[in-house]
Amino acid sequence: MTTALGDPQAPVQDRLGVLQLVRVSLAVAVAALPALVGTRGAPLTLPAAYLAVVMLAEAARRRQPRLTASLLSALVLVDGAFLAAAVLMTGGTTSPLLFLAFLQVVAVTLLASPRTGLKLAVWCALLLFLGRTAAVTGVIHLTASGDDRAAALSGAAFLLFAVGAAAFQSVNEKALRRSGSELLGLVELGDTLEQARRPDDVVAVLLEHLRTHLGFVRAVAFLRGEDAWAVAGDVASPGQHAGGLGPVGDAVLADGETRLVRGFARGLLAEQLPWAQNLVIAALAGEDQPLGLVVAEWGRGPQGRITELTVATVHQACSHAALTLRNARLLDEVRRLATRDELTGLANRRLFEETLALEVGRHRRTGAPLSVIALDVDYFKAINDEYGHPAGDAVLRLIAAALRGGTKAYDVPARTGGDEFVVLLPGCAASDVADVAERLRSVARLAVGPDITVTLSAGTSTLPDDAVDGKTLLTAADSALYRAKRTGRDRVGTSA
């Protein structure tokens, strides 16, 4: 990545190269300018000698790049001696070359550092003072050097100019460093977001970026849900929260403009961020409507100030994150469609078989039992014929919801086709699986309600009691289910 020479991150070699060009210009100006304005100039040997030193330094820099920093410091001393000698030889405080010293201070301040520019100013002022003192005492002979008051004013102006240039450059460097840091942070954020695959991961990456890279004391995300806001981040009660965000939050969602506010008066933002001060609110823009918004608290009391650059960086960070969040949600939806039954939302056959293989592997490592329940709706065709297919679909959805609600978080209920369901029960022993099957049949029947009479038949099997692997475990459960149907339906058949 290239950098400007005025940037403190610019390579030293580049800055010294530009300074060398400035020095060549100084030598030419010292040689030619007095003649152009009709005053006596310095001997040509002075700029010639200075130019020779500059060329030697440049040659050394090209041969030995590691000496660059040392040459930069040494040449600043040479600059001061050359400029002081040229000014003293051409009239002292009345010299037409005095402005060149000011220009060189500015160049060194911008291209080297504010401290180096200040050192050059002090060095030049000291040499000019010593030269004038030597002229007054007769040690050296100068044609004119100005009076004492003019010399004092000139030296003071010279130093004040150097201090001012150094101060302004220091402020500029701080702004450049912060701007560069925030730009680099956005690049790093983009790289990190590329690795985030889940919506929760995207939000976590964004909030961490706001805290660590931009200096906010806390950051919170409010993500739009069907009936509530999903709140994540630095709050006392993350999770689902209903209610309006408040006037500021609603305005940000409406127009997408990032806002800077002192605090919140009411709404969900005020509830989740009480006593918060100096906040930036930015939308997470979606295609049709915003996905939510992010609130970052700067804090630091009533006098805390947030720069426009920081506000703009928050806006950019949220824009990047919103795009990644949309993609992550789409990817989640693709995963869900690939592994979920479209009608009921239960696991489909593919996900069930993948999970079965994993649980069989766990059983072989730990010896923990693994049971399966196969279920089938009795006379489901008759329900479709009497009540219609929409009613039949509604029955399947109600049964699926009952199976989901009646099993543990690590159990896997699935719809494997038509009116057939299967439930994977890790850790369930053969002595317990029949009771679980009976309970699931009961809750499913009650879930459908009194309008349509529904019964289910079930078959159970357990690893290692009834099978040796996943395939034989399913076969055993299916065989038990068929026995239950042959013996009257509306019952549980076991493999034992």
Short mmCIF file of all heavy atoms in Angstrom, two decimals, residues 421-473:
data_model
loop_
_atom_site.label_atom_id
_atom_site.label_comp_id
_atom_site.label_asym_id
_atom_site.label_seq_id
_atom_site.Cartn_x
_atom_site.Cartn_y
_atom_site.Cartn_z
N PHE A 421 -43.28 -40.22 10.64
CA PHE A 421 -42.37 -39.45 11.48
C PHE A 421 -41.40 -40.41 12.17
O PHE A 421 -41.70 -41.60 12.34
CB PHE A 421 -43.15 -38.66 12.54
CG PHE A 421 -44.09 -37.64 11.99
CD1 PHE A 421 -45.39 -37.99 11.64
CD2 PHE A 421 -43.67 -36.34 11.79
CE1 PHE A 421 -46.26 -37.05 11.12
CE2 PHE A 421 -44.53 -35.39 11.26
CZ PHE A 421 -45.83 -35.75 10.92
N VAL A 422 -40.29 -39.89 12.57
CA VAL A 422 -39.32 -40.67 13.32
C VAL A 422 -38.65 -39.73 14.33
O VAL A 422 -38.45 -38.54 14.05
CB VAL A 422 -38.28 -41.33 12.39
CG1 VAL A 422 -37.45 -40.28 11.66
CG2 VAL A 422 -37.38 -42.27 13.16
N VAL A 423 -38.34 -40.25 15.52
CA VAL A 423 -37.73 -39.47 16.58
C VAL A 423 -36.47 -40.18 17.04
O VAL A 423 -36.54 -41.36 17.43
CB VAL A 423 -38.68 -39.25 17.77
CG1 VAL A 423 -38.00 -38.38 18.83
CG2 VAL A 423 -39.98 -38.61 17.31
N LEU A 424 -35.34 -39.47 17.02
CA LEU A 424 -34.06 -40.01 17.49
C LEU A 424 -33.86 -39.56 18.93
O LEU A 424 -33.96 -38.36 19.24
CB LEU A 424 -32.93 -39.48 16.60
CG LEU A 424 -31.52 -40.02 16.86
CD1 LEU A 424 -31.46 -41.52 16.60
CD2 LEU A 424 -30.50 -39.29 15.99
N LEU A 425 -33.58 -40.54 19.82
CA LEU A 425 -33.49 -40.26 21.26
C LEU A 425 -32.13 -40.68 21.80
O LEU A 425 -31.97 -41.80 22.31
CB LEU A 425 -34.61 -41.00 22.01
CG LEU A 425 -36.04 -40.70 21.56
CD1 LEU A 425 -37.00 -41.71 22.15
CD2 LEU A 425 -36.42 -39.29 21.98
N PRO A 426 -31.11 -39.80 21.73
CA PRO A 426 -29.81 -40.14 22.31
C PRO A 426 -29.91 -40.31 23.83
O PRO A 426 -30.57 -39.52 24.52
CB PRO A 426 -28.93 -38.93 21.96
CG PRO A 426 -29.62 -38.26 20.82
CD PRO A 426 -31.08 -38.49 21.05
N GLY A 427 -29.31 -41.38 24.35
CA GLY A 427 -29.29 -41.61 25.79
C GLY A 427 -30.52 -42.29 26.34
O GLY A 427 -30.61 -42.54 27.55
N CYS A 428 -31.51 -42.58 25.51
CA CYS A 428 -32.74 -43.23 25.97
C CYS A 428 -32.57 -44.75 25.93
O CYS A 428 -32.27 -45.33 24.88
CB CYS A 428 -33.91 -42.81 25.09
SG CYS A 428 -35.50 -43.47 25.63
N ALA A 429 -32.79 -45.41 27.06
CA ALA A 429 -32.59 -46.85 27.17
C ALA A 429 -33.81 -47.60 26.67
O ALA A 429 -34.91 -47.05 26.54
CB ALA A 429 -32.29 -47.24 28.61
N ALA A 430 -33.63 -48.91 26.41
CA ALA A 430 -34.72 -49.75 25.90
C ALA A 430 -35.87 -49.82 26.89
O ALA A 430 -37.04 -49.91 26.51
CB ALA A 430 -34.18 -51.14 25.59
N SER A 431 -35.58 -49.75 28.18
CA SER A 431 -36.63 -49.82 29.20
C SER A 431 -37.50 -48.57 29.26
O SER A 431 -38.59 -48.60 29.84
CB SER A 431 -35.99 -50.06 30.57
OG SER A 431 -35.06 -49.02 30.87
N ASP A 432 -37.03 -47.47 28.66
CA ASP A 432 -37.78 -46.21 28.73
C ASP A 432 -38.43 -45.81 27.42
O ASP A 432 -39.36 -44.99 27.41
CB ASP A 432 -36.84 -45.07 29.15
CG ASP A 432 -36.22 -45.30 30.51
OD1 ASP A 432 -36.92 -45.83 31.39
OD2 ASP A 432 -35.03 -44.96 30.68
N VAL A 433 -38.00 -46.36 26.31
CA VAL A 433 -38.41 -45.82 25.02
C VAL A 433 -39.89 -46.07 24.74
O VAL A 433 -40.55 -45.23 24.11
CB VAL A 433 -37.53 -46.42 23.89
CG1 VAL A 433 -37.75 -47.91 23.73
CG2 VAL A 433 -37.81 -45.69 22.57
N ALA A 434 -40.46 -47.17 25.25
CA ALA A 434 -41.88 -47.42 25.01
C ALA A 434 -42.74 -46.37 25.71
O ALA A 434 -43.75 -45.90 25.16
CB ALA A 434 -42.25 -48.82 25.48
N ASP A 435 -42.36 -45.99 26.92
CA ASP A 435 -43.11 -44.95 27.64
C ASP A 435 -43.02 -43.62 26.91
O ASP A 435 -43.99 -42.86 26.85
CB ASP A 435 -42.56 -44.81 29.06
CG ASP A 435 -42.86 -46.03 29.92
OD1 ASP A 435 -43.80 -46.78 29.58
OD2 ASP A 435 -42.14 -46.24 30.92
N VAL A 436 -41.83 -43.30 26.38
CA VAL A 436 -41.68 -42.06 25.63
C VAL A 436 -42.57 -42.07 24.39
O VAL A 436 -43.24 -41.08 24.07
CB VAL A 436 -40.21 -41.84 25.23
CG1 VAL A 436 -40.06 -40.61 24.34
CG2 VAL A 436 -39.33 -41.71 26.46
N ALA A 437 -42.61 -43.21 23.70
CA ALA A 437 -43.44 -43.32 22.51
C ALA A 437 -44.91 -43.14 22.85
O ALA A 437 -45.67 -42.46 22.13
CB ALA A 437 -43.21 -44.67 21.83
N GLU A 438 -45.35 -43.73 23.97
CA GLU A 438 -46.74 -43.59 24.38
C GLU A 438 -47.08 -42.14 24.70
O GLU A 438 -48.15 -41.63 24.35
CB GLU A 438 -46.99 -44.48 25.59
CG GLU A 438 -48.46 -44.70 25.92
CD GLU A 438 -49.20 -45.41 24.79
OE1 GLU A 438 -48.78 -46.52 24.39
OE2 GLU A 438 -50.20 -44.82 24.30
N ARG A 439 -46.16 -41.46 25.37
CA ARG A 439 -46.39 -40.05 25.71
C ARG A 439 -46.47 -39.19 24.45
O ARG A 439 -47.33 -38.30 24.35
CB ARG A 439 -45.26 -39.56 26.62
CG ARG A 439 -45.36 -38.09 26.99
CD ARG A 439 -44.35 -37.72 28.05
NE ARG A 439 -42.99 -38.05 27.67
CZ ARG A 439 -42.24 -37.30 26.87
NH1 ARG A 439 -42.73 -36.18 26.35
NH2 ARG A 439 -41.01 -37.66 26.57
N LEU A 440 -45.60 -39.43 23.48
CA LEU A 440 -45.62 -38.66 22.23
C LEU A 440 -46.90 -38.91 21.44
O LEU A 440 -47.47 -37.97 20.85
CB LEU A 440 -44.39 -38.99 21.38
CG LEU A 440 -43.04 -38.51 21.94
CD1 LEU A 440 -41.91 -38.95 21.03
CD2 LEU A 440 -43.02 -37.00 22.10
N ARG A 441 -47.38 -40.15 21.43
CA ARG A 441 -48.66 -40.44 20.75
C ARG A 441 -49.80 -39.66 21.40
O ARG A 441 -50.66 -39.10 20.72
CB ARG A 441 -48.97 -41.94 20.81
CG ARG A 441 -48.14 -42.79 19.90
CD ARG A 441 -48.63 -44.23 19.77
NE ARG A 441 -49.38 -44.73 20.91
CZ ARG A 441 -50.72 -44.92 20.91
NH1 ARG A 441 -51.41 -44.64 19.81
NH2 ARG A 441 -51.34 -45.38 21.97
N SER A 442 -49.76 -39.58 22.72
CA SER A 442 -50.82 -38.91 23.46
C SER A 442 -50.81 -37.40 23.20
O SER A 442 -51.86 -36.80 22.91
CB SER A 442 -50.67 -39.19 24.95
OG SER A 442 -51.64 -38.49 25.69
N VAL A 443 -49.64 -36.77 23.28
CA VAL A 443 -49.58 -35.31 23.08
C VAL A 443 -49.91 -34.95 21.64
O VAL A 443 -50.50 -33.90 21.37
CB VAL A 443 -48.20 -34.74 23.48
CG1 VAL A 443 -47.94 -34.95 24.97
CG2 VAL A 443 -47.08 -35.33 22.65
N ALA A 444 -49.55 -35.82 20.69
CA ALA A 444 -49.87 -35.54 19.29
C ALA A 444 -51.37 -35.63 19.06
O ALA A 444 -51.96 -34.80 18.35
CB ALA A 444 -49.13 -36.53 18.39
N ARG A 445 -52.02 -36.62 19.67
CA ARG A 445 -53.48 -36.76 19.51
C ARG A 445 -54.21 -35.56 20.11
O ARG A 445 -55.14 -35.01 19.52
CB ARG A 445 -53.92 -38.06 20.18
CG ARG A 445 -55.43 -38.34 20.02
CD ARG A 445 -55.82 -39.68 20.60
NE ARG A 445 -55.59 -39.74 22.05
CZ ARG A 445 -54.61 -40.44 22.62
NH1 ARG A 445 -53.77 -41.14 21.86
NH2 ARG A 445 -54.46 -40.47 23.94
N LEU A 446 -53.77 -35.13 21.29
CA LEU A 446 -54.40 -33.99 21.95
C LEU A 446 -54.14 -32.69 21.18
O LEU A 446 -54.97 -31.79 21.18
CB LEU A 446 -53.88 -33.86 23.38
CG LEU A 446 -54.28 -34.99 24.34
CD1 LEU A 446 -53.58 -34.81 25.69
CD2 LEU A 446 -55.80 -35.03 24.52
N ALA A 447 -52.98 -32.59 20.52
CA ALA A 447 -52.64 -31.36 19.79
C ALA A 447 -53.57 -31.15 18.60
O ALA A 447 -53.89 -30.00 18.26
CB ALA A 447 -51.19 -31.42 19.32
N VAL A 448 -54.02 -32.22 17.98
CA VAL A 448 -54.90 -32.08 16.81
C VAL A 448 -56.26 -31.56 17.23
O VAL A 448 -56.89 -30.76 16.51
CB VAL A 448 -55.01 -33.42 16.07
CG1 VAL A 448 -56.04 -33.31 14.94
CG2 VAL A 448 -53.65 -33.84 15.53
N GLY A 449 -56.71 -31.94 18.42
CA GLY A 449 -57.97 -31.42 18.94
C GLY A 449 -59.15 -32.32 18.63
O GLY A 449 -59.02 -33.36 17.97
N PRO A 450 -60.33 -31.89 19.07
CA PRO A 450 -61.51 -32.76 18.96
C PRO A 450 -62.18 -32.77 17.59
O PRO A 450 -63.01 -33.63 17.31
CB PRO A 450 -62.45 -32.15 20.02
CG PRO A 450 -62.08 -30.69 20.05
CD PRO A 450 -60.61 -30.65 19.80
N ASP A 451 -61.85 -31.78 16.75
CA ASP A 451 -62.57 -31.69 15.47
C ASP A 451 -62.24 -32.85 14.54
O ASP A 451 -63.09 -33.30 13.77
CB ASP A 451 -62.22 -30.38 14.77
CG ASP A 451 -62.71 -29.17 15.56
OD1 ASP A 451 -63.67 -29.33 16.34
OD2 ASP A 451 -62.11 -28.08 15.41
N ILE A 452 -61.01 -33.33 14.59
CA ILE A 452 -60.59 -34.47 13.76
C ILE A 452 -59.98 -35.51 14.68
O ILE A 452 -59.02 -35.23 15.40
CB ILE A 452 -59.57 -34.04 12.69
CG1 ILE A 452 -60.16 -32.95 11.79
CG2 ILE A 452 -59.13 -35.24 11.87
CD1 ILE A 452 -59.18 -32.44 10.74
N THR A 453 -60.55 -36.68 14.68
CA THR A 453 -60.03 -37.76 15.51
C THR A 453 -58.80 -38.36 14.84
O THR A 453 -58.87 -38.83 13.70
CB THR A 453 -61.09 -38.84 15.73
OG1 THR A 453 -62.24 -38.25 16.35
CG2 THR A 453 -60.54 -39.95 16.62
N VAL A 454 -57.68 -38.33 15.56
CA VAL A 454 -56.42 -38.81 15.02
C VAL A 454 -55.79 -39.75 16.02
O VAL A 454 -55.75 -39.48 17.23
CB VAL A 454 -55.45 -37.66 14.72
CG1 VAL A 454 -54.05 -38.19 14.37
CG2 VAL A 454 -55.97 -36.81 13.58
N THR A 455 -55.30 -40.89 15.54
CA THR A 455 -54.49 -41.80 16.36
C THR A 455 -53.20 -42.09 15.61
O THR A 455 -53.12 -41.92 14.40
CB THR A 455 -55.24 -43.11 16.65
OG1 THR A 455 -55.49 -43.78 15.39
CG2 THR A 455 -56.54 -42.85 17.38
N LEU A 456 -52.20 -42.51 16.38
CA LEU A 456 -50.91 -42.85 15.79
C LEU A 456 -50.45 -44.21 16.27
O LEU A 456 -50.72 -44.60 17.42
CB LEU A 456 -49.84 -41.82 16.17
CG LEU A 456 -49.96 -40.41 15.58
CD1 LEU A 456 -50.82 -39.53 16.49
CD2 LEU A 456 -48.59 -39.78 15.38
N SER A 457 -49.77 -44.91 15.37
CA SER A 457 -49.09 -46.15 15.74
C SER A 457 -47.60 -45.86 15.80
O SER A 457 -47.09 -44.97 15.10
CB SER A 457 -49.36 -47.24 14.70
OG SER A 457 -50.74 -47.52 14.64
N ALA A 458 -46.90 -46.59 16.68
CA ALA A 458 -45.48 -46.34 16.87
C ALA A 458 -44.73 -47.64 17.02
O ALA A 458 -45.28 -48.65 17.48
CB ALA A 458 -45.24 -45.46 18.09
N GLY A 459 -43.44 -47.61 16.61
CA GLY A 459 -42.54 -48.74 16.80
C GLY A 459 -41.23 -48.24 17.38
O GLY A 459 -40.76 -47.15 17.02
N THR A 460 -40.63 -49.01 18.28
CA THR A 460 -39.40 -48.57 18.95
C THR A 460 -38.30 -49.59 18.76
O THR A 460 -38.54 -50.79 18.56
CB THR A 460 -39.65 -48.37 20.46
OG1 THR A 460 -39.90 -49.65 21.07
CG2 THR A 460 -40.83 -47.44 20.70
N SER A 461 -37.06 -49.08 18.84
CA SER A 461 -35.87 -49.95 18.84
C SER A 461 -34.75 -49.21 19.54
O SER A 461 -34.77 -47.98 19.62
CB SER A 461 -35.46 -50.34 17.42
OG SER A 461 -35.09 -49.19 16.69
N THR A 462 -33.79 -49.96 20.05
CA THR A 462 -32.69 -49.37 20.83
C THR A 462 -31.38 -50.03 20.45
O THR A 462 -31.32 -51.26 20.23
CB THR A 462 -32.94 -49.53 22.34
OG1 THR A 462 -34.17 -48.90 22.69
CG2 THR A 462 -31.81 -48.90 23.15
N LEU A 463 -30.36 -49.20 20.37
CA LEU A 463 -28.98 -49.66 20.16
C LEU A 463 -28.27 -49.63 21.52
O LEU A 463 -28.35 -48.62 22.21
CB LEU A 463 -28.29 -48.71 19.17
CG LEU A 463 -26.92 -49.10 18.62
CD1 LEU A 463 -27.06 -50.28 17.70
CD2 LEU A 463 -26.29 -47.92 17.87
N PRO A 464 -27.72 -50.74 21.98
CA PRO A 464 -27.35 -51.96 21.25
C PRO A 464 -28.33 -53.11 21.41
O PRO A 464 -28.07 -54.22 20.91
CB PRO A 464 -26.02 -52.31 21.91
CG PRO A 464 -26.21 -51.90 23.34
CD PRO A 464 -27.07 -50.68 23.31
N ASP A 465 -29.48 -52.94 22.11
CA ASP A 465 -30.36 -54.06 22.43
C ASP A 465 -30.96 -54.71 21.19
O ASP A 465 -31.08 -55.95 21.12
CB ASP A 465 -31.47 -53.59 23.36
CG ASP A 465 -30.95 -52.97 24.63
OD1 ASP A 465 -30.44 -51.83 24.55
OD2 ASP A 465 -31.02 -53.61 25.68
N ASP A 466 -31.36 -53.90 20.19
CA ASP A 466 -32.12 -54.41 19.06
C ASP A 466 -31.39 -54.29 17.73
O ASP A 466 -31.95 -54.69 16.70
CB ASP A 466 -33.45 -53.66 18.96
CG ASP A 466 -34.21 -53.65 20.27
OD1 ASP A 466 -34.31 -54.71 20.90
OD2 ASP A 466 -34.67 -52.55 20.68
N ALA A 467 -30.20 -53.67 17.71
CA ALA A 467 -29.51 -53.44 16.44
C ALA A 467 -28.02 -53.30 16.69
O ALA A 467 -27.56 -53.20 17.84
CB ALA A 467 -30.06 -52.18 15.78
N VAL A 468 -27.26 -53.29 15.58
CA VAL A 468 -25.80 -53.17 15.67
C VAL A 468 -25.29 -51.88 15.03
O VAL A 468 -24.15 -51.50 15.24
CB VAL A 468 -25.10 -54.38 15.02
CG1 VAL A 468 -25.42 -55.66 15.80
CG2 VAL A 468 -25.50 -54.53 13.55
N ASP A 469 -26.13 -51.23 14.22
CA ASP A 469 -25.73 -49.98 13.58
C ASP A 469 -26.97 -49.17 13.27
O ASP A 469 -28.11 -49.57 13.60
CB ASP A 469 -24.92 -50.25 12.31
CG ASP A 469 -25.64 -51.16 11.32
OD1 ASP A 469 -26.89 -51.21 11.37
OD2 ASP A 469 -24.97 -51.81 10.51
N GLY A 470 -26.78 -48.02 12.61
CA GLY A 470 -27.90 -47.15 12.33
C GLY A 470 -28.92 -47.76 11.40
O GLY A 470 -30.14 -47.59 11.59
N LYS A 471 -28.48 -48.46 10.39
CA LYS A 471 -29.39 -49.06 9.42
C LYS A 471 -30.29 -50.09 10.07
O LYS A 471 -31.52 -50.09 9.89
CB LYS A 471 -28.60 -49.68 8.27
CG LYS A 471 -29.47 -50.27 7.19
CD LYS A 471 -28.62 -50.82 6.04
CE LYS A 471 -29.49 -51.40 4.94
NZ LYS A 471 -28.68 -51.94 3.82
N THR A 472 -29.71 -51.00 10.84
CA THR A 472 -30.52 -52.03 11.49
C THR A 472 -31.38 -51.43 12.60
O THR A 472 -32.44 -51.98 12.92
CB THR A 472 -29.61 -53.14 12.06
OG1 THR A 472 -28.62 -52.54 12.93
CG2 THR A 472 -28.89 -53.86 10.94
N LEU A 473 -30.95 -50.32 13.19
CA LEU A 473 -31.77 -49.66 14.21
C LEU A 473 -33.06 -49.15 13.60
O LEU A 473 -34.16 -49.32 14.16
CB LEU A 473 -30.98 -48.50 14.83
CG LEU A 473 -31.66 -47.73 15.96
CD1 LEU A 473 -31.86 -48.61 17.17
CD2 LEU A 473 -30.82 -46.49 16.34
#
